[in-house]
Amino acid sequence: MPKKFDKGITSKDSDYSKWYNDIVNKADLAEISDVRGCMVIKPYGFAIWEKMKAKLDEMFKKTGHQNAYFPLFVPKRLFEAEEKNAEGFAKECAVVTHYRLKNDPNEKGKLIVDSEAKLEEELVVRPTSEAVIWSTFKKWIQSYRDLPILINQWANVVRWEMRTRLFLRTSEFLWQEGHTAHEQKKEALDEALLINDIYKNFCEDFLAIPVIQGLKSESEKFAGAEETYCIESLMQDGKALQMGTSHFLGQNFAKAFDVKYAKKDGGLDYVWATSWGVSTRLMGALIMSHSDDKGLVLPPSIAPIQVVIVPIYKNTDDLKKIKSFVLNILEDLDSKNITVKFDDNDKLKPGFKFNEYELKGIPIRLAVGLRDIKNSEVELARRDNNSKTIVKIKNLSTVIQNTLDDIQKQIFVKAKLNLKNNITIVSDFNEFKNVIDSKGGFVYAHWDGTNETEKKIKKETKATIRCIPYENKFGPGKCIYSGKDSHQMVLFAKSY
Amino acid sequence: MPKKFDKGITSKDSDYSKWYNDIVNKADLAEISDVRGCMVIKPYGFAIWEKMKAKLDEMFKKTGHQNAYFPLFVPKRLFEAEEKNAEGFAKECAVVTHYRLKNDPNEKGKLIVDSEAKLEEELVVRPTSEAVIWSTFKKWIQSYRDLPILINQWANVVRWEMRTRLFLRTSEFLWQEGHTAHEQKKEALDEALLINDIYKNFCEDFLAIPVIQGLKSESEKFAGAEETYCIESLMQDGKALQMGTSHFLGQNFAKAFDVKYAKKDGGLDYVWATSWGVSTRLMGALIMSHSDDKGLVLPPSIAPIQVVIVPIYKNTDDLKKIKSFVLNILEDLDSKNITVKFDDNDKLKPGFKFNEYELKGIPIRLAVGLRDIKNSEVELARRDNNSKTIVKIKNLSTVIQNTLDDIQKQIFVKAKLNLKNNITIVSDFNEFKNVIDSKGGFVYAHWDGTNETEKKIKKETKATIRCIPYENKFGPGKCIYSGKDSHQMVLFAKSY
């Protein structure tokens, strides 16, 4: 008996949050684990993450960065060294205090912590690696000749979260963290900006997610940074999502870890630094940016399978004929570096397969039956706009390549339109509150630049300053809250 | 002032252990970190590991395995579930007991563990992931239709080690761990054997390290396994190193986590399982198998840079001419997928560069001066046998490709000869002790199959049974220790 297929996805409009969870679960991307706050990334979800990794890794390497690996644990005394950084992460870190379990004398088969194996110094599971890496950089850096150091690490990190959501906020997550050291302040600033551009290009060109680049306000910047640059995007429910951050750390960590270098022209100085990262959170952004009530929608660049071929047949003879017909298509697409899957699973009916691949966001589905073979054609269905066309075999690989390019483009255009339609410019606080409450999205408003005003606005509306955009489209004005002078409008939104 | 170059490598013969550490440090592979027992893998070392990962990953995927990711933490109750596995790892695990630090009221700027943030249930940092994965498989497996499940994970794991050595034994290490579930016992056994073959092929064809395949004795097998298959190799100092293991887990984990499946012909049964892994330990094996007193020797397949070109010049005009001459070589090699680096660093002299690339094990070094340009030739030096030849430019890429192939082959042949010359067959315990003490290497000897005899031999000689080889070259006989009946000879050695 073929399995029945029931999508059972909550509609996006009725409950966005439940819709998101349904997509993550039913498209087999990830699931909640038996470990509090931690997720299991399932093979299909991990295949998408692997494609993200490969592309980002290529972009980092092309710009001179090298991968390395640093310890998972941060001894408490290193963790404390940069005070603001420590303060920022102390409240949410997993602490290792013992290095052994022993048999429970009171209950056979149970284990308890062995109190004799208490660590002299506690170890923090890295929430981020600045401390461990700067204690290492101290050994690597003596002179200007040792600079710049451009390091990246792919790793797992832990930040204890009370309320978690798959991909968006989990206690353990996967990410890359870049850590660089430079002679000059300007070099470090340029590096932070370069990386923010890499992140932007990656998100827009590969994930088809349009972003806004900007600077974080004082209260939203990374603990220990001088400046935090970021890219922010807008989800379909009108909430903003921080996609990536790139920090200019000034000489803060160099001072905390006493990392000085001999200058070209004599004398010693502290080195300048950056750090930057994106995480499995991008999986959440990818899902929320493009998907619909039928399931995941994937831009072709990031789809582990770009084309799926489903045979339509009545008996094994038919299937045999279709198989030999499809063989040429597979070879042709493969030679053009298009990833294709032929699903000849005999236990499942075509309707079930159609549904499943729709759910999993495969950009193009081909259906091939006996009549198609006779007519030398196949049916091509697009996931993004549900259109179907009949394509002659002789044109197939060209049509597929063009269609993949078009899907990539159209998905981006759609997301860009959503972003554009959901940026509102307001001139007073009443309008601000109205937009935030009803329409949502990004709101441009004048702000007096103080932490105090930012806090009050957040308290009253739950909206925060997502960034001070690079692109300063508006001149000076008056703060919508305090009426004081404002240099430029900034972008507010409710956010994930 | 160009940096001076001092290799300062301890000779292999005078102190093998110090020689090893010198190579690891001076070839910039890894270093001890400020975190007890944990290492920093430096960019050059990590680039080699990345090549290992890429190749293994390709081999796993070609045989139907998929990557996924499971939590870092194992809640204590899951950790306890498979009793033998828990017993095997309880003595060396890092335990998270708290999820927050707070300011030390007695000392400003210091942090202490917040006793109010004690976890209800302790979390073990995974020493291996069977427990977490089988608690997940329980949700994934209902029927025979869900099988087989063929999962691999690239991850960091922690096993608390008192005495550590870079790559060979560190508290945290990187590895891949495969975890599979099957309908039939035979399928699981076949999977364990398939993986052991993949490991063997990887080590021999890519790392150029010959291995012996076999079965572990009862006392040496993985905690929780029915059978452990392994590959063992021999280092240049005559000690054995376990390169990888592949476990047939029987139904042990299925029973511990109650994972049953509905059989095709009705009824329920526990599923059959395997797990298998190789780790950054392979880096240690790679270093110790081939390197010499001049530094690292890398087989071309695994070398991040296969060819380095060093310009020999007096002034910037010369360098310009050499650069334009080299450009064609770079393009030519690049088009043939040979990784090449042109080192035009003006701060370092050729002699320094020669030394450094020798130290880093780059298989081929080309030197190019003005006279070479005039003669349309370059000097080619091989790292493996120190030979130098003059090669005409028109033949260069062919000669390089052939030379790389030959280096790969010769390095393997040399290691294979070392292995062959260091396998001794003994017929009594005195001979056994003599060989183990003086010559070292693998020793074939008859063993009565008991744990007791194995223990006594280990106590008296420090040699352990490395494996019961697949290839049973010798018939039955009498145990060298007890004189009791023995089915076949097994392989003993002192080991890392």
Side-chain angles (χ1 to χ4, degrees), chain A residues 13-42:
Chain A
D13 292 339
S14 73
D15 188 337
Y16 191 81
S17 163
K18 208 160 174 308
W19 166 82
Y20 174 77
N21 289 336
D22 284 348
I23 303 263
V24 173
N25 288 322
K26 289 175 192 284
D28 259 350
L29 301 174
E31 67 184 33
I32 293 166
S33 77
D34 288 338
V35 189
R36 221 199 115 287
C38 296
M39 66 181 156
V40 171
I41 306 179
K42 299 178 81 171

Side-chain angles (χ1 to χ4, degrees), chain B residues 118-373:
Chain B
K118 190 172 187 308
L119 290 170
E120 278 180 38
E121 181 185 18
E122 292 88 356
L123 299 173
V124 173
V125 179
R126 63 181 163 217
T128 180
S129 299
E130 279 78 4
V132 160
I133 289 179
W134 278 88
S135 87
T136 308
F137 279 1
K138 183 173 171 57
K139 299 173 209 164
W140 293 4
I141 298 168
Q142 276 88 41
S143 123
Y144 70 92
R145 286 192 203 88
D146 303 318
L147 298 171
I149 292 181
L150 307 172
I151 292 285
N152 178 55
Q153 164 170 280
W154 291 96
N156 53 344
V157 285
V158 172
R159 297 175 186 178
W160 207 261
E161 297 283 354
M162 286 304 164
R163 285 197 297 175
T164 58
R165 296 199 58 192
L166 290 164
F167 291 124
L168 296 171
R169 193 174 295 279
T170 48
S171 289
E172 182 194 14
F173 57 89
L174 304 182
W175 78 345
Q176 61 68 217
E177 48 180 324
H179 296 271
T180 69
H182 307 263
E183 272 183 83
Q184 305 294 337
K185 177 177 179 178
K186 186 177 179 308
E187 286 170 21
L189 273 166
D190 286 348
E191 166 78 7
L193 292 168
L194 167 75
I195 295 296
N196 205 36
D197 283 350
I198 288 178
Y199 287 162
K200 174 194 163 79
N201 294 337
F202 172 74
C203 289
E204 300 200 332
D205 299 345
F206 286 85
L207 306 185
I209 304 175
V211 299
I212 294 174
Q213 292 184 294
L215 193 65
K216 285 284 177 192
S217 66
E218 274 298 301
S219 73
E220 295 276 334
K221 76 181 190 191
F222 179 72
E226 292 289 307
E227 304 279 17
T228 289
Y229 299 94
C230 66
I231 50 172
E232 296 278 326
S233 68
L234 196 67
M235 302 298 102
Q236 293 178 73
D237 64 343
K239 279 166 83 175
L241 191 138
Q242 177 180 300
M243 305 280 285
T245 49
S246 172
H247 317 294
F248 168 63
L249 302 174
Q251 296 175 315
N252 294 344
F253 283 90
K255 284 177 183 166
F257 289 91
D258 192 32
V259 185
K260 287 178 187 165
Y261 75 100
K263 290 161 60 169
K264 215 174 277 179
D265 51 7
L268 287 173
D269 196 7
Y270 290 110
V271 302
W272 298 86
T274 78
S275 69
W276 29 277
V278 296
S279 73
T280 35
R281 192 163 217 230
L282 289 181
M283 292 288 297
L286 182 69
I287 297 158
M288 287 205 290
S289 291
H290 310 308
S291 303
D292 58 28
D293 287 353
K294 292 180 177 172
L296 194 63
V297 172
L298 288 178
S301 326
I302 207 73
I305 302 166
Q306 294 172 314
V307 179
V308 66
I309 305 178
V310 177
I312 316 290
Y313 61 97
K314 287 192 183 134
N315 51 50
T316 47
D317 262 9
D318 293 2
L319 181 57
K320 236 186 231 169
K321 282 177 201 153
I322 295 171
K323 265 189 189 175
S324 82
F325 179 74
V326 163
L327 210 64
N328 293 325
I329 304 179
L330 294 178
E331 276 173 14
D332 188 18
L333 295 182
D334 200 50
S335 75
K336 293 186 169 64
N337 285 319
I338 295 168
T339 51
V340 54
K341 173 182 173 174
F342 175 50
D343 185 351
D344 61 350
N345 185 339
D346 204 28
K347 291 175 201 155
L348 306 171
K349 292 209 164 165
F352 180 91
K353 292 178 185 175
F354 284 14
N355 266 325
E356 177 160 346
Y357 295 118
E358 209 166 58
L359 198 43
K360 291 196 164 170
I362 314 294
I364 291 178
R365 181 190 76 220
L366 303 181
V368 185
L370 287 188
R371 207 176 48 192
D372 298 312
I373 297 180

Side-chain angles (χ1 to χ4, degrees), chain A residues 29 44-52 283 286 296 298 302 304:
Chain A
L29 301 174
Y44 189 58
F46 201 80
I48 298 172
W49 174 243
E50 278 184 326
K51 290 210 77 170
M52 290 193 191
M283 292 288 297
L286 182 70
L296 193 64
L298 288 178
I302 207 73

